[in-house]
Amino acid sequence: MSGNDKSEIGHYVVTAHPSGSVLSAVQCSFLSPNSRDVVIAKSTRIEIRQYQPPSDNDGTNDTIDNNNISSNAEDRFPLLLTLPINGRISSLSPIRFTNSSKDCLFFTTERGGYALISYDEQLATIQQSSAALSHSSPSKKKSSDVVDTSSSDLIIGEHYPVRTHASGSLTNYSTSVIAGGRRAECGPLAAVDPLHRCIALHLYDGFVTVIPIHRGYDINTPRTSSSADGGGKQAPRGMASLTTKPFGDAFHTRIEQRTVLSMTFLKTHPTRSTYIPQLALLYQDARGFQHVISHGIDLSKKCMVLYGSTAAANNNAQDAIEIDGKPAASVMPPPGEQLKKSRIEGGSAMLVSVPPAKTAGGGTKANALGGVLILGQRQITYHSTAEGATKVLPIGQSLLLSCCPVVEKEGSASGDEDMLRYLLGDETGRIHLLVVGRKGGLVTNLHFETLGTASVSSALVYLGNGMVFVGSQFANSQLVQILDNPVPVSAVNSSGGEESEDGMNPLEETTYLQTLEEYTNLGPIVDFDLRPTGDESKDDSAGTNYRQSVVVTCSGVAKDGTVRLVRNGVGMKEQAEVEMEGIKGMWSLRRGFDEQDDTFLVQSFVRETRILGVQSSKDLEMDGSQDGMDDDDEEEEGGALAEVTIGGFNSSKSTLFAGNVSVGGADLLVQVVDDSVRVVDSATLDMVTDWSPFRGGDDESDEDEPMGFITVASSNQSGQVVVALRGGTLVYLVVENKNSKPTIRKVKSITLEREISCIDLRPFESTSLSGNDSMEVDGGGVSRSTETSHLVAVGLWDDFSVRFLDLNESSNTLDQLLHINLGRSVDANMGNDAEEQAADSGQHMMARSLCLVTMESQSSNSTSAVNNSTSSSNKVDMLFVGLGDGKCISFGVTRPESSSEEWLVHSRKEVSLGTQGIHLVPFHHGARACVLATGDRPTVVYLTGGNSGSNSNPKLCYSTISLTVEDDDEDEGHASHRNISVNVATPFRSSLLFSSTNKNNSSLCVADENTLRLGMIDDIQKLHVTSYKLGMTPRRIAHHEAGRVYCVGCIGGAGEGAQIGGEANMGNCVRFFDDSTFEEVNRIDLEPFEMILDVTSVSLCTSSNSSGDNYKPYILIGTAYSYPDEDEPSQGRVLVVECNSGESSNLKSDSEDEMVTRCVRHVTQMPTRGGVYSITPFYGGTVMITVNSKTHLCKLSLGDNEIGELKLVGAGHHGHMISLYCKSLAGERSSNGGSSSGKQLAIVGDLMRSISLVEYLPKHQVIEELARDYNANFCTSIEMLTDNIYLGSENFANLFVLRHNADAPSEEARVRLDTIGEYHLGEMVNTMKLGSLVMPSNAGGSSSAKSDTKSKSDKSSFEGNAIEVAVGSQTLFGTVDGTIGSIMGLGGSTFAFLGCLQRAIFAVVRPVGDLSHERHRHYEADGRVRPSRGFIDGDLVECFLDLNRPTMERIVKWMNDDGRWRIRDDGSGVSGQSQQNLMDTEEDDSSDSPAQNNLSVEDVLAAVEEISMLH
């Protein structure tokens, strides 16, 4: 997209890394009866995991084995289902109706929405059947595969396998009843009656909202078709088929208690109780005292029966609600049994209901009421008025945050003694066990014991068998095992980071807790910075530099404080490296066909072949050879690669192909060189037979003339060999084993019109000629296939097409099965008589590499009840084509089911993976088939989706490979990541060379022009997160590229600093870490009460002379002195620090006299009259800072001996409340002269007064305000996207975009920033920065979903209905809940298309819980409610890729009927353009019919896939 700001008229918001912060979690049987499902609420998402207990033969072993714990734990607690919710979840509760064996989920959102959902097995089955059809060609399906019409209608619009039974908004009803009601101070509270009679909600102070439950409701009502109307508005379509309603009418009841801290229902007898529901409240009065009291809820009269009342409801009232055919229980407990406790401990924050005690006979009284546990900071209190008992247990100072009962699946205490156990989590991460001992119906004692330390828990769920899920908002969630006996802390301490000397370790020396698995949570992201990883790409039109980056975040709190590195792509952990120039090809060979490990690495050079063999260390010592590639980590017990020879191979020629062959029980090796095909016995390594094109034909052939040199070759493990000769001749050979004597038989040949560039003979797993043979993949992911192939894929020079040729021996020639045009302008499936249509216009390179592969989307959840039925339907036959210009084209392949049918390809997708030619290498990662595309940006291509939860369709994903170099120290995780280029590669498995060869890892050999590397591949996923523990709370971070360090500002614990005047020094400091090893380079301790506010890496101008300006890189640190008696800081300072890179330096450390390789030097400092909230690079080598309400410009001047002074320049700007943020584009520009308009601009974000635009005037040395936003936005972060467009976030979790109209005719318009975009994100944004995790090959420009895109100057944005995705600025943001997201600017036509698609999804796809998506995205702040505008919800748009085919077709039909996807807006609005320019009605298309101008499903898929790859 051009640099014109008007062309960026909308913005695309999408999640790059989802939130990991756990708000709440419950255990129930949601997916199936008697299943142990854990439902986890994460911001605007519900995740469902299922605990699968080990079988009897697995047993439970307390012995710690860190090598296999993670894989076992992952299998036991898999993620089965993910549900996006249109709202931030505030409460989550399971409800089970009387006639159901499964639980429903009731949840509420912060904006007052609620819903009741259940898992729909019928819908899940239909969706799985429909998903299988999406793997085949859309233009060709078997009649047996067609889903019947009724089933197809059922799944239209149904994307998630859940059913909504009730939904609505309590806000609308509340505003009409509670006029001027104030939201509850402690947030929305919810409680469900243990007998499932009602739900109590505390939404407004002084009121409790009650929703009656009809316990006899049937959730299994058959589903009927609801989409015959062809889509339309979102509506509760499933409600029409329900015979009854699950809920009664909600009603509000007034209570006297204002500040309610916690509430719960008291427990009673599960079947015989006649008491009305008893709601216990923990509240605080106006004087600060805390009390507990209970009230009754009379469902028949719809009122609250206050404490002390004995009035009974009238059972004969006409509006009485019946439960199970009887009037609702209407008896209030006697006053002596009603719960009340005054003046409890002041730090109490949670109530836990306790079931009533058993009597001496072992039973429970029908109307017995249980008591409550009151969890305080210094004591735990048990109180039951009915029992007349109060027990107090003093504990150490501890704020308890979470609690869960310990209940095994079967069995309970016997006799007259009843023992209850609860797990408690506190603010330090300790897990405690509380035991409530009861005997004879009375509580006798409370016992409190600390088990150990885990993450700070916001939710605890006991799973059984000693397994506990620890959900956290402030650190990684964990799966923890409670051990029978204590073990030393060091034995179970995580190896994810360094041990800290500052109190990082748990206080106890022993622990009962063993962490089995951790689940990533980046929240809260307080700050982040970007570390460039790739080469710089410049957009000249905008003057902006683009680089792919690693996001480095400040995450966690206190002991869980960490620095996280989030990188895109797949890491390859380097095991060995050797300089070796000129490798042209590589292949791995096994000594025996059935062996798991590879033995030989064949390397092809110009006019020679070299072979490296794996040898054990003992063999090397005996041979006295140490010239191989040693694996340093495994030198003692491992092996090495040493140069060896294979007698039957020709080492004086370049190898074109090498591989293993198994024929008739004989294990053979095949080598193809330019003059022969050689077959070698794998046992003796001697050649047993060969074939040469220069020899005459065999007895079965009439050919006597030599044919020419071999140029390209391919083979498979069944003995099929295809070679290409000069002149375009293709020869098909077969290796046979007749009478135990291997031979090579020529089957047939063909001469094509051009030279052959590439061929591939790999068989599809689903299309073998031999029905008895099968493809096997062992635990290490090594393919053992003896399948024979139906076809060979052939690419030609100077021809933009691929041919499928028939290998069936029934024909004497290699007949053409399919001619595939690689472009989009001509149908990809071309007949034999249409070859002339394949000629391209010259825009494309020809095919350089081909790969036929059967890809499968694998999941560890395939054994679960949900995914069991889909485990065999996720295989897709694919054709990949690598081009010479770095593009990779993929097709789905449909094989014929009968002789009358033809081969077809479909689902074309073109992706640019770099600028160099691509070579495609298939390999297995575990059981998953993947493809490695070599080049300047090597990429792993894999299939995902189609096998879990809401994902219905498999889709291709592309992850770039970065090299991970481990350091010499033994601390795991300390490594550097850098991009590499790969020319040739091959999978290579060896248990001697690689320390880890489990089923989830794979090893590769890769080479560029100069280096051969061996390494292990990480888990294949889009984003990888690496954690480094700090042991303290990180607050600010900056990456200093010149010094190769991370500068992290940290907040220390209260006990780490000295006590001064009775006030604790926070112990704040600034720590410097090496950006590769994360070793601490230096540390600067701040002064008492000094708090870090901002850290920035800048290049400052130190001097100016006739030869030019001198710039030096520095780190600037802004601080404030936070004294207890000051509301606003009155003092602060700016520290200027210099850090060398360690390559060459004469600097000395502040604490050492000797010379060091890495050091940090304090250059100067500048005191300020207030806190330095923000520092940003500015033009001319200066910086702009904000100090309280002022904005200043600063410049550094260096004197003799490198002594510098930072000074304020000119007059600053005043007029803000508190200037929290300041941003400019100076750091993003390629020059320092100013913005594109020549002005030196910056924006300032205020605490209350939104964003202001300021300009620095160098001539007058003043900062002048040009314009401001007059809305009252409480800014939490801002970013300057372009000179005229600014992005901001505010504390109500909203985003807004402002535009400055500098060319407006009136002064009033020029001084006002116009709001052009408003959007509710749902999570509060802490920080934003320009950048991207992904580097597109055409950075800063337009990325197109078609192969023949016109230039950017061309008025047309569409050609052949291929949509151009025009993207402008790219911004990353981090939220409190740990979400990393991307915001991309959109051009007019792209915004119109995506907006139309978004509206179509609104109208067709039914959301979870029937909660309105439009209502969820409304901008709402301080009573202002406005519809979202100027933004596209990328998460919603990209869900189109996962929809079932009928729903896709309905959405595209809606878009074509709407027609607004054709609108092209250049930013001047509809009124500024003619109708001819707004719509896609060019004269060239006037002769086409309207149907030809309509969108197809493939058009929309291509566009959405294209934009999904940009973040």
Side-chain angles (χ1 to χ4, degrees):
M1 193 168 62
S2 67
N4 184 7
D5 296 337
K6 285 187 176 182
S7 61
E8 187 169 306
I9 67 168
H11 293 85
Y12 184 87
V13 183
V14 67
T15 300
H17 181 86
S19 167
S21 177
V22 175
L23 305 179
S24 61
V26 295
Q27 187 178 28
C28 60
S29 298
F30 180 73
L31 298 177
S32 60
N34 302 320
S35 62
R36 300 185 184 183
D37 305 324
V38 178
V39 184
I40 306 168
K42 294 184 177 180
S43 184
T44 59
R45 195 173 77 258
I46 289 178
E47 291 183 354
I48 300 175
R49 294 181 177 268
Q50 187 177 89
Y51 175 61
Q52 299 170 350
S55 59
D56 295 337
N57 53 5
D58 291 340
T60 55
N61 188 4
D62 293 342
T63 303
I64 300 169
D65 184 3
N66 290 327
N67 293 328
N68 56 19
I69 276 175
S70 297
S71 59
N72 293 339
E74 184 179 357
D75 294 338
R76 292 185 187 180
F77 199 52
L79 174 64
L80 302 185
L81 187 62
T82 300
L83 301 174
I85 305 299
N86 290 333
R88 181 177 173 84
I89 301 169
S90 59
S91 67
L92 188 68
S93 303
I95 295 177
R96 177 169 295 192
F97 294 93
T98 304
N99 58 355
S100 175
S101 58
K102 296 191 303 182
D103 292 310
C104 297
L105 282 180
F106 174 81
F107 62 88
T108 61
T109 66
E110 287 189 349
R111 289 190 169 183
Y114 72 91
L116 180 71
I117 62 174
S118 67
Y119 182 71
D120 193 330
E121 295 181 358
Q122 177 192 6
L123 179 59
T125 302
I126 299 175
Q127 287 178 337
Q128 291 161 5
S129 301
S130 176
L133 295 181
S134 65
H135 302 171
S136 60
S137 171
S139 61
K140 178 178 175 61
K141 294 186 178 70
K142 296 185 297 180
S143 59
S144 59
D145 287 338
V146 178
V147 182
D148 60 82
T149 305
S150 59
S151 298
S152 178
D153 290 341
L154 280 176
I155 63 175
I156 293 179
E158 301 289 352
H159 179 34
Y160 308 101
V162 295
R163 187 173 186 179
T164 301
H165 301 278
S167 67
S169 176
L170 296 169
T171 304
N172 298 334
Y173 180 70
S174 300
T175 53
S176 62
V177 177
I178 308 171
R182 189 179 66 177
R183 294 290 181 94
E185 184 176 346
C186 297
L189 301 176
V192 178
D193 175 45
L195 302 185
H196 296 162
R197 292 172 290 183
C198 65
I199 303 169
L201 302 169
H202 179 58
L203 306 175
Y204 296 88
D205 284 342
F207 290 88
V208 170
T209 301
V210 179
I211 303 178
I213 300 175
H214 294 161
R215 293 193 298 174
Y217 171 75
D218 183 11
I219 69 171
N220 298 316
T221 304
R223 180 179 291 273
T224 59
S225 176
S226 58
S227 56
D229 57 348
K233 301 273 185 191
Q234 292 173 355
R237 292 173 285 183
M239 296 297 293
S241 64
L242 301 180
T243 56
T244 60
K245 294 182 179 180
F247 296 147
D249 294 334
F251 60 91
H252 297 279
T253 61
R254 186 179 293 276
I255 56 176
E256 298 177 355
Q257 294 75 26
R258 303 289 296 181
T259 306
V260 179
L261 306 176
S262 178
M263 69 180 188
T264 185
F265 280 95
L266 299 182
K267 294 184 178 180
T268 183
H269 193 283
T271 58
R272 294 181 293 157
S273 175
T274 58
Y275 287 155
I276 62 176
Q278 297 293 301
L279 182 64
L281 305 176
L282 170 63
Y283 69 97
Q284 181 172 300
D285 61 20
R287 294 178 293 176
F289 297 115
Q290 294 183 353
H291 316 275
V292 174
I293 195 170
S294 66
H295 302 300
I297 299 178
D298 192 333
L299 298 177
S300 60
K301 288 188 175 181
K302 298 184 179 180
C303 66
M304 181 81 74
V305 182
L306 301 181
Y307 171 82
S309 173
T310 59
N314 182 9
N315 290 341
N316 295 324
Q318 294 183 357
D319 58 349
I321 299 176
E322 292 188 356
I323 300 178
D324 297 338
K326 300 178 182 179
S330 58
V331 178
M332 188 70 179
E337 295 185 11
Q338 298 177 23
L339 183 70
K340 184 177 183 181
K341 177 67 176 176
S342 301
R343 295 290 187 94
I344 61 175
E345 192 219 337
S348 302
M350 189 183 305
L351 287 181
V352 179
S353 60
V354 177
K358 296 180 180 179
T359 62
T364 303
K365 293 191 301 182
N367 283 332
L369 277 177
V372 293
L373 287 170
I374 308 169
L375 307 182
Q377 294 186 17
R378 295 180 178 85
Q379 67 183 31
I380 296 177
T381 305
Y382 171 79
H383 177 74
S384 175
T385 305
E387 299 175 5
T390 300
K391 295 290 181 180
V392 177
L393 175 65
I395 59 175
Q397 176 73 22
S398 180
L399 177 60
L400 300 176
L401 302 176
S402 56
C403 174
C404 76
V406 178
V407 179
E408 295 292 347
K409 194 68 175 177
E410 65 278 338
S412 59
S414 60
D416 59 353
E417 184 175 355
D418 188 9
M419 182 176 295
L420 302 177
R421 295 178 296 170
Y422 297 88
L423 292 176
L424 309 176
D426 65 16
E427 60 178 340
T428 65
R430 291 177 295 178
I431 305 296
H432 311 279
L433 178 64
L434 174 65
V435 181
V436 180
R438 299 191 296 192
K439 191 173 184 179
L442 299 175
V443 172
T444 58
N445 62 81
L446 300 176
H447 179 69
F448 187 81
E449 182 177 358
T450 300
L451 300 179
T453 302
S455 298
V456 178
S457 60
S458 57
L460 290 174
V461 178
Y462 183 76
L463 306 175
N465 300 325
M467 306 287 285
V468 182
F469 172 71
V470 181
S472 178
Q473 286 184 270
F474 311 107
N476 289 342
S477 298
Q478 297 173 326
L479 183 65
V480 174
Q481 172 80 53
I482 301 178
L483 306 177
D484 294 334
N485 300 304
V487 296
V489 171
S490 58
V492 296
N493 199 23
S494 174
S495 60
E498 272 191 297
E499 293 286 338
S500 172
E501 299 177 358
D502 301 325
M504 249 184 68
N505 295 329
L507 300 177
E508 302 83 0
E509 296 181 358
T510 60
T511 181
Y512 287 89
L513 301 180
Q514 175 187 354
T515 301
L516 304 182
E517 183 73 10
E518 289 196 346
Y519 309 100
T520 302
N521 172 27
L522 301 182
I525 300 177
V526 183
D527 189 23
F528 73 81
D529 200 6
L530 303 178
R531 189 193 81 187
T533 59
D535 297 331
E536 192 171 77
S537 177
K538 181 179 177 181
D539 179 17
D540 294 329
S541 62
T544 305
N545 298 330
Y546 293 90
R547 300 177 72 177
Q548 182 178 353
S549 303
V550 172
V551 175
V552 189
T553 71
C554 290
S555 301
V557 176
K559 75 174 185 63
D560 295 322
T562 58
V563 170
R564 308 289 184 97
L565 272 64
V566 184
R567 57 183 174 87
N568 182 281
V570 177
M572 189 179 81
K573 182 179 178 182
E574 185 179 273
Q575 301 286 333
E577 175 184 331
V578 65
E579 291 187 4
M580 194 171 293
E581 298 182 358
I583 300 178
K584 302 301 181 182
M586 285 195 302
W587 299 266
S588 57
L589 300 177
R590 304 181 299 278
R591 186 61 182 266
F593 185 83
D594 294 327
E595 291 184 3
Q596 292 187 355
D597 287 357
D598 294 311
T599 306
F600 303 111
L601 179 64
V602 180
Q603 303 160 88
S604 177
F605 298 85
V606 176
R607 291 191 294 274
E608 72 169 321
T609 296
R610 300 176 188 174
I611 303 173
L612 296 178
V614 178
Q615 298 185 10
S616 65
S617 300
K618 295 181 180 179
D619 294 337
L620 289 174
E621 292 175 0
M622 293 176 61
D623 297 339
S625 173
Q626 296 294 334
D627 297 331
M629 294 179 60
D630 294 332
D631 186 357
D632 297 335
D633 296 334
E634 300 292 332
E635 187 175 354
E636 296 181 359
E637 56 184 10
L641 280 174
E643 190 159 353
V644 297
T645 59
I646 297 179
F649 276 22
N650 189 342
S651 60
S652 62
K653 291 182 177 292
S654 299
T655 297
L656 301 177
F657 180 86
N660 287 85
V661 170
S662 178
V663 179
D667 290 352
L668 306 173
L669 306 178
V670 173
Q671 182 197 26
V672 182
V673 293
D674 59 0
D675 61 353
S676 64
V677 177
R678 307 167 69 91
V679 177
V680 176
D681 187 281
S682 63
T684 63
L685 300 183
D686 295 328
M687 188 178 73
V688 293
T689 186
D690 71 332
W691 177 88
S692 174
F694 294 101
R695 290 201 297 264
D698 53 24
D699 296 338
E700 300 178 4
S701 174
D702 297 333
E703 297 180 7
D704 296 324
E705 297 181 0
M707 291 180 285
F709 285 102
I710 301 174
T711 58
V712 185
S714 180
S715 176
N716 57 39
Q717 297 182 124
S718 68
Q720 293 176 297
V721 182
V722 175
V723 296
L725 310 180
R726 290 181 182 176
T729 300
L730 192 71
V731 181
Y732 173 34
L733 309 172
V734 173
V735 179
E736 297 177 337
N737 187 20
K738 295 182 178 180
N739 301 322
S740 300
K741 182 180 179 180
T743 60
I744 300 177
R745 177 172 61 91
K746 178 185 174 184
V747 181
K748 49 186 174 180
S749 64
I750 189 174
T751 300
L752 302 176
E753 63 272 17
R754 293 183 179 90
E755 291 283 351
I756 298 173
S757 62
C758 52
I759 54 179
D760 190 53
L761 193 58
R762 296 178 184 89
F764 289 133
E765 182 177 345
S766 57
T767 59
S768 65
L769 287 171
S770 175
N772 297 327
D773 296 329
S774 61
M775 177 179 291
E776 297 179 359
V777 179
D778 65 13
V782 181
S783 174
R784 300 289 182 268
S785 171
T786 56
E787 296 189 23
T788 54
S789 179
H790 271 296
L791 56 84
V792 59
V794 182
L796 305 181
W797 290 103
D798 299 325
D799 181 73
F800 194 55
S801 64
V802 173
R803 292 163 170 81
F804 282 177
L805 303 182
D806 189 6
L807 297 180
N808 196 323
E809 296 189 22
S810 60
S811 173
N812 295 326
T813 60
L814 290 168
D815 296 330
Q816 181 171 292
L817 297 174
L818 185 65
H819 192 169
I820 306 169
N821 175 40
L822 299 181
R824 288 179 56 98
S825 58
V826 183
D827 185 11
N829 302 291
M830 300 177 61
N832 296 337
D833 56 350
E835 296 184 8
E836 66 278 0
Q837 297 182 19
D840 195 74
S841 61
Q843 302 178 41
H844 300 283
M845 304 289 289
M846 69 289 297
R848 295 290 183 89
S849 179
L850 299 175
C851 181
L852 299 171
V853 62
T854 299
M855 305 196 77
E856 181 175 6
S857 178
Q858 291 290 335
S859 173
S860 61
N861 312 330
S862 59
T863 59
S864 67
V866 178
N867 298 313
N868 195 25
S869 61
T870 64
S871 59
S872 60
S873 60
N874 302 320
K875 297 180 180 180
V876 183
D877 295 336
M878 302 288 298
L879 165 65
F880 291 91
V881 183
L883 306 185
D885 59 353
K887 290 187 174 65
C888 178
I889 302 177
S890 63
F891 296 93
V893 180
T894 301
R895 67 186 180 97
E897 295 295 329
S898 64
S899 58
S900 61
E901 298 179 353
E902 298 179 351
W903 289 84
L904 292 176
V905 294
H906 57 91
S907 304
R908 179 191 184 277
K909 183 175 183 180
E910 179 180 324
V911 177
S912 179
L913 301 180
T915 57
Q916 297 179 3
I918 289 178
H919 180 63
L920 301 169
V921 181
F923 69 99
H924 278 80
H925 189 78
R928 170 187 289 180
C930 307
V931 176
L932 171 64
T934 66
D936 53 334
R937 290 168 56 191
T939 302
V940 174
V941 187
Y942 59 98
L943 199 66
T944 186
N947 55 11
S948 62
S950 61
N951 283 345
S952 300
N953 301 326
K955 54 180 176 289
L956 287 176
C957 292
Y958 301 80
S959 295
T960 57
I961 290 182
S962 61
L963 186 65
T964 304
V965 182
E966 293 288 344
D967 305 315
D968 295 335
D969 56 19
E970 297 180 356
D971 293 330
E972 184 180 350
H974 287 183
S976 61
H977 302 274
R978 68 175 186 269
N979 292 346
I980 59 173
S981 63
V982 175
N983 293 342
V984 293
T986 184
F988 194 89
R989 173 185 170 86
S990 174
S991 57
L992 291 177
L993 294 181
F994 303 106
S995 58
S996 176
T997 55
N998 61 52
K999 65 179 182 179
N1000 294 322
N1001 288 334
S1002 58
S1003 48
L1004 292 176
C1005 290
V1006 299
D1008 55 18
E1009 285 83 356
N1010 303 312
T1011 308
L1012 172 65
R1013 296 183 175 91
L1014 278 72
M1016 300 290 297
I1017 292 292
D1018 289 343
D1019 291 336
I1020 294 180
Q1021 56 194 44
K1022 186 172 183 180
L1023 291 180
H1024 289 261
V1025 179
T1026 306
S1027 300
Y1028 299 99
K1029 294 185 178 180
L1030 298 175
M1032 53 201 318
T1033 303
R1035 180 174 174 83
R1036 293 290 184 266
I1037 191 169
H1039 177 248
H1040 189 53
E1041 188 173 3
R1044 297 189 299 108
V1045 295
Y1046 297 119
C1047 178
V1048 186
C1050 301
I1051 301 176
E1056 296 180 6
Q1059 298 288 330
I1060 302 176
E1063 297 288 345
N1065 175 23
M1066 294 298 292
N1068 299 338
C1069 62
V1070 182
R1071 302 171 67 179
F1072 298 86
F1073 300 93
D1074 186 274
D1075 65 358
S1076 297
T1077 65
F1078 213 79
E1079 294 178 353
E1080 189 164 0
V1081 176
N1082 208 329
R1083 170 171 172 160
I1084 299 177
D1085 291 318
L1086 301 182
E1087 296 179 359
F1089 303 105
E1090 189 176 16
M1091 179 176 293
I1092 186 169
L1093 297 181
D1094 198 14
V1095 175
T1096 305
S1097 174
V1098 298
S1099 291
L1100 299 180
C1101 179
T1102 58
S1103 63
S1104 299
N1105 49 49
S1106 58
S1107 59
D1109 297 336
N1110 296 324
Y1111 290 87
K1112 291 188 66 175
Y1114 295 97
I1115 300 174
L1116 268 61
I1117 305 169
T1119 69
Y1121 291 89
S1122 180
Y1123 295 114
D1125 56 346
E1126 290 184 351
D1127 295 332
E1128 184 177 328
S1130 60
Q1131 298 181 41
R1133 58 175 176 161
V1134 179
L1135 302 176
V1136 182
V1137 176
E1138 182 181 8
C1139 180
N1140 73 308
S1141 62
E1143 298 176 356
S1144 61
S1145 175
N1146 296 323
L1147 300 176
K1148 295 183 179 181
S1149 173
D1150 294 340
S1151 59
E1152 299 179 359
D1153 295 332
E1154 64 273 13
M1155 301 296 294
V1156 294
T1157 58
R1158 303 292 300 277
C1159 68
V1160 175
R1161 185 173 73 94
H1162 182 199
V1163 178
T1164 186
Q1165 68 179 33
M1166 182 183 71
T1168 60
R1169 295 183 178 180
V1172 184
Y1173 286 98
S1174 180
I1175 305 174
T1176 187
F1178 205 62
Y1179 299 96
T1182 61
V1183 292
M1184 186 170 286
I1185 67 172
T1186 60
V1187 181
N1188 285 8
S1189 61
K1190 306 177 182 64
T1191 304
H1192 299 282
L1193 191 71
C1194 299
K1195 186 174 183 179
L1196 178 68
S1197 60
L1198 286 181
D1200 298 336
N1201 300 324
E1202 295 293 322
I1203 297 177
E1205 182 179 6
L1206 190 67
K1207 295 182 179 180
L1208 301 179
V1209 179
H1213 175 261
H1214 306 259
H1216 294 90
M1217 300 291 292
I1218 297 181
S1219 301
L1220 295 179
Y1221 311 100
C1222 181
K1223 290 293 181 70
S1224 75
L1225 290 176
E1228 306 296 328
R1229 300 294 187 186
S1230 57
S1231 63
N1232 296 293
S1235 66
S1236 57
S1237 61
K1239 297 181 179 180
Q1240 298 185 10
L1241 303 175
I1243 58 173
V1244 179
D1246 190 76
L1247 174 67
M1248 298 175 60
R1249 295 183 178 177
S1250 193
I1251 294 177
S1252 300
L1253 174 66
V1254 298
E1255 178 187 4
Y1256 175 68
L1257 303 175
K1259 181 178 180 179
H1260 304 286
Q1261 292 189 345
V1262 296
I1263 299 175
E1264 181 182 85
E1265 181 177 287
L1266 297 182
R1268 68 156 58 253
D1269 177 24
Y1270 290 92
N1271 294 311
N1273 292 320
F1274 291 71
C1275 293
T1276 61
S1277 183
I1278 64 173
E1279 190 54 72
M1280 195 171 184
L1281 305 183
T1282 68
D1283 291 333
N1284 292 338
I1285 300 178
Y1286 322 118
L1287 174 66
S1289 62
E1290 48 91 69
N1291 65 332
F1292 288 98
N1294 298 313
L1295 299 175
F1296 59 95
V1297 177
L1298 306 173
R1299 172 180 287 164
H1300 180 225
N1301 189 2
D1303 300 327
S1306 65
E1307 180 67 18
E1308 181 182 359
R1310 288 194 297 269
V1311 300
R1312 179 184 297 273
L1313 296 181
D1314 300 324
T1315 302
I1316 62 172
E1318 293 177 317
Y1319 181 82
H1320 180 68
L1321 183 66
E1323 301 178 32
M1324 191 173 75
V1325 176
N1326 270 339
T1327 181
M1328 294 187 291
K1329 282 184 171 59
L1330 290 174
S1332 174
L1333 281 166
V1334 179
M1335 170 49 61
S1337 59
N1338 49 350
S1342 62
S1343 183
S1344 176
K1346 63 176 182 287
S1347 61
D1348 50 357
T1349 307
K1350 293 186 178 182
S1351 63
K1352 289 185 286 185
S1353 60
D1354 194 323
K1355 185 180 69 171
S1356 174
S1357 295
F1358 307 101
E1359 183 171 339
N1361 289 339
I1363 293 90
E1364 178 184 359
V1365 179
V1367 175
S1369 63
Q1370 299 187 46
T1371 307
L1372 294 174
F1373 64 86
T1375 71
V1376 174
D1377 293 315
T1379 296
I1380 294 178
S1382 179
I1383 302 175
M1384 296 182 286
L1386 300 176
S1389 58
T1390 306
F1391 182 74
F1393 167 77
L1394 294 177
C1396 186
L1397 175 58
Q1398 181 175 248
R1399 291 189 297 272
I1401 297 176
F1402 286 164
V1404 176
V1405 178
R1406 182 177 185 176
V1408 176
D1410 288 337
L1411 299 178
S1412 171
H1413 182 276
E1414 294 176 284
R1415 177 66 182 86
H1416 166 50
R1417 295 304 184 189
H1418 279 183
Y1419 183 98
E1420 183 175 341
D1422 282 337
R1424 296 173 290 156
V1425 180
R1426 292 189 291 268
S1428 172
R1429 59 190 175 108
F1431 281 94
I1432 301 295
D1433 187 346
D1435 295 329
L1436 181 72
V1437 167
E1438 292 179 15
C1439 83
F1440 182 85
L1441 301 175
D1442 298 324
L1443 298 175
N1444 55 70
R1445 187 77 183 189
T1447 302
M1448 287 184 182
E1449 293 171 352
R1450 181 63 58 83
I1451 289 174
V1452 174
K1453 180 181 181 300
W1454 195 99
M1455 295 178 66
N1456 288 323
D1457 293 342
D1458 180 74
R1460 282 178 285 178
W1461 63 271
R1462 298 181 176 91
I1463 293 178
R1464 59 187 79 258
D1465 189 352
D1466 63 1
S1468 59
V1470 176
S1471 60
Q1473 304 175 77
S1474 65
Q1475 184 69 19
Q1476 179 72 16
N1477 292 332
L1478 281 173
M1479 303 299 292
D1480 186 24
T1481 55
E1482 296 194 21
E1483 295 179 359
D1484 296 340
D1485 299 332
S1486 59
S1487 60
D1488 297 337
S1489 63
Q1492 292 175 329
N1493 291 327
N1494 284 341
L1495 287 171
S1496 66
V1497 172
E1498 283 67 32
D1499 294 332
V1500 180
L1501 279 172
V1504 177
E1505 285 178 344
E1506 189 70 27
I1507 198 169
S1508 69
M1509 295 182 62
L1510 299 180
H1511 62 83

